[in-house]
Amino acid sequence: MADIARSTVFNAHPDALCISGLTAGVETSAEVLHKAKAVVADTPIFANTGVRLSNVEQQLSIADGAIVGTTFKRDGYIWNEVDVQRVSEFMQRVRQFRSSLE
């Protein structure tokens, strides 16, 4: 992972790296996020899969941001419509976490 992150940043100069779990909806490994952050400290790292209400604080304690989709859907099912209440609860948790960092 460290070599891939380092190589990608060196060769492609991305604005950020999205680090994913094994498949869609699978939580991004904290260990993998840490490894990527350690070798490309000047490049933002996003947790790209599996970020949900129950782990958003842990994921954002390592990653600079997150890509969130399925968590916002009715019943947490990828093909359902966005559930405004789920988005509201998630973002409230994110705001509380961010304010604790100040």
Side-chain angles (χ1 to χ4, degrees), residues 13-89:
H13 308 286
D15 293 327
L17 290 180
C18 293
I19 309 294
S20 300
L22 186 58
T23 61
V26 174
E27 181 176 336
T28 306
S29 161
E31 179 181 349
V32 172
L33 288 171
H34 276 296
K35 285 180 181 179
K37 290 285 292 176
V39 298
V40 293
D42 294 333
T43 301
I45 300 294
F46 287 6
N48 192 45
T49 58
V51 180
R52 48 184 73 57
L53 192 61
S54 63
N55 69 5
V56 66
E57 292 178 14
Q58 184 267 343
Q59 293 281 283
L60 290 181
S61 70
I62 306 164
D64 299 295
I67 308 298
V68 181
T70 303
T71 288
F72 292 158
K73 303 295 184 83
R74 181 177 42 86
D75 300 325
Y77 181 68
I78 190 169
W79 303 118
N80 284 346
E81 72 282 356
V82 171
D83 180 331
V84 174
Q85 182 63 35
R86 289 175 72 99
V87 174
S88 178
E89 290 171 4

